[in-house]
Amino acid sequence: MKRTKILLDETDFCSQPDYPREGHNLISCSTVEELGRYWLKQRIGKVKRSTYSGYRYCVDRYILPMLGEIPLEELKETDIRAFIMKLQKQGLAETTIHSILIALKSVLRFGVQCDLLRENLVSCCSVNCHKSEARILTIGESADMKSYLLKKNSIFALSILLCRGTGIRVGELCGLKWGDIDFASNSIKIRRTVSRIPNPHFSEGQPRTILYIRTPKSHASAREVPIPGYLREALQAFKGREELYVLTGRETCTEPRNIQKKFKTVLRNCGMQECNFHAMRHGFATACLESGMDCKTVSSILGHSSTHVTMDFYMHTTMRQKQACVDAIEA
């Protein structure tokens, strides 16, 4: 078995793409495939590698096989609608379809700015996606998990509790080094995140995917969060050298899917219904908002780009809130 390659990219955040000025046809493309390939080429170095890998997957796997041969001058709204219907008939998740259409819309907008396509093609490239309500740990489940993990008193158990009590993402947990934790100020700096992406240089004999260590997903995600008081001393007992990763105790990190597997074991041992690791982030955010914490503070801790993102993701109504509302009316 070949060893996993790790791609390090801890440079500053990528700049926004430099599209050709509107009204100037600076490129020569005759088909959707040529336009898509050229657009992808323009993304290199302008967005993070993980973002680029997602774009390339959507373009290569879905957009070009279905639309690639169509001449740009013949591309119509009906072609876009037919494309969307084909995606839906494949049984793809709505979030996947949404991601594909984001990529397609970007390709088409690029074509419009190069005077190769009409603006109306961009506006018809959308679909209403129903966002399924996220699984949230109940108060009882969260308490049971806390009790179980504190008894374990391992660095993995404490790290899970850290996510439970701060809402940090699993990739951010994987990228956490001891040098990021300041016990004097009782705070943690989120400086990097870890993810697995398609190998951009894949060839025969090379791994199809690589472990990608990069700066956080946005400026807001590069943040400082407080350590829950009850975890401070327990974490400090495990403290290692600054350059070592917290979860592994080595200069090499683990990856999110390993954490997901171990987390499922925790759920089984606690007798809990299976859920995604991200449920703890949802649970943290919901608990904060239900307790009356202002949205701006919650947004800052979570690393969201704005309070609108926090509101959109987490301001759904729980049964406990519904019950309180009904009881208030009856009173």
Side-chain angles (χ1 to χ4, degrees):
M1 179 180 290
K2 291 187 176 296
R3 296 181 62 186
T4 299
K5 287 194 173 182
I6 298 178
L7 179 64
L8 297 172
D9 181 14
E10 300 195 26
T11 57
D12 197 5
F13 298 93
C14 298
S15 59
Q16 293 298 314
D18 296 322
Y19 288 125
R21 289 175 296 169
E22 189 172 357
H24 292 264
N25 190 339
L26 301 180
I27 66 173
S28 176
C29 295
S30 59
T31 65
V32 174
E33 179 169 7
E34 290 178 359
L35 179 65
R37 296 290 183 202
Y38 193 91
W39 176 79
L40 277 176
K41 186 178 180 181
Q42 295 301 304
R43 302 305 90 222
I44 298 175
K46 302 291 178 60
V47 295
K48 290 184 179 293
R49 290 176 187 261
S50 53
T51 302
Y52 175 79
S53 293
Y55 284 154
R56 192 176 68 171
Y57 177 79
C58 291
V59 171
D60 289 344
R61 178 68 177 82
Y62 298 102
I63 296 174
L64 299 191
M66 297 185 192
L67 298 173
E69 295 182 358
I70 301 177
L72 293 177
E73 60 185 15
E74 297 179 14
L75 186 64
K76 302 179 180 63
E77 293 181 31
T78 53
D79 296 317
I80 305 300
R81 296 194 184 99
F83 171 71
I84 295 174
M85 289 184 64
K86 287 180 181 178
L87 294 177
Q88 294 171 326
K89 287 180 179 179
Q90 288 185 17
L92 298 173
E94 290 186 342
T95 51
T96 300
I97 295 177
H98 182 64
S99 296
I100 295 169
L101 294 181
I102 287 177
L104 177 59
K105 184 175 288 188
S106 296
V107 172
L108 297 179
R109 185 176 293 115
F110 180 63
V112 170
Q113 293 178 318
C114 294
D115 284 343
L116 297 173
L117 292 173
R118 301 185 307 278
E119 178 70 36
N120 63 311
L121 292 175
V122 178
S123 60
C124 75
C125 182
S126 62
V127 65
N128 291 325
C129 291
H130 176 264
K131 185 183 294 183
S132 58
E133 196 163 286
R135 159 95 157 97
I136 298 174
L137 299 184
T138 66
I139 294 177
E141 288 176 329
S142 185
D144 289 344
M145 180 183 290
K146 178 181 178 182
S147 176
Y148 170 81
L149 292 172
L150 282 176
K151 290 177 182 177
K152 287 292 183 182
N153 193 35
S154 65
I155 191 59
F156 174 76
L158 295 176
S159 297
I160 298 299
L161 287 173
L162 188 63
C163 289
R164 172 189 174 274
T166 62
I168 65 175
R169 303 174 177 90
V170 63
E172 294 169 341
L173 174 63
C174 291
L176 194 64
K177 294 183 178 182
W178 285 111
D180 302 325
I181 302 179
D182 186 346
F183 288 104
S185 63
N186 200 47
S187 63
I188 297 173
K189 290 182 179 179
I190 305 300
R191 292 170 168 163
R192 68 193 66 78
T193 185
V194 179
S195 59
R196 181 163 289 280
I197 66 172
N199 187 351
H201 308 297
F202 173 71
S203 61
E204 190 65 30
Q206 294 295 315
R208 290 185 175 276
T209 62
I210 56 175
L211 206 56
Y212 182 41
I213 305 174
R214 59 178 172 84
T215 50
K217 61 187 297 184
S218 68
H219 286 284
S221 293
R223 62 200 187 279
E224 189 171 0
V225 297
I227 303 172
Y230 74 95
L231 286 178
R232 184 175 181 275
E233 289 187 7
L235 276 173
Q236 196 164 15
F238 286 90
K239 181 173 172 54
R241 300 197 311 273
E242 291 192 353
E243 67 274 14
L244 303 181
Y245 285 93
V246 172
L247 279 173
T248 63
R250 302 191 300 268
E251 292 185 11
T252 55
C253 65
T254 188
E255 61 176 296
R257 65 182 180 184
N258 290 337
I259 304 304
Q260 295 279 11
K261 290 177 182 177
K262 291 183 178 180
F263 181 64
K264 288 183 179 181
T265 301
V266 171
L267 295 177
R268 286 196 298 270
N269 292 339
C270 291
M272 293 169 55
Q273 177 185 345
E274 188 170 306
C275 64
N276 191 284
F277 191 91
H278 213 64
M280 288 194 296
R281 181 170 166 85
H282 292 311
F284 170 79
T286 301
C288 287
L289 294 169
E290 283 188 353
S291 69
M293 186 181 297
D294 67 280
C295 191
K296 185 170 183 176
T297 299
V298 178
S299 179
S300 176
I301 295 174
L302 293 173
H304 285 158
S305 57
S306 71
T307 56
H308 296 293
V309 177
T310 309
M311 296 281 285
D312 183 46
F313 271 101
Y314 300 111
M315 287 300 280
H316 55 272
T317 307
T318 65
M319 182 56 69
R320 188 162 68 253
Q321 289 172 307
K322 294 175 183 176
Q323 184 68 55
C325 181
V326 170
D327 291 344
I329 296 298
E330 291 299 319

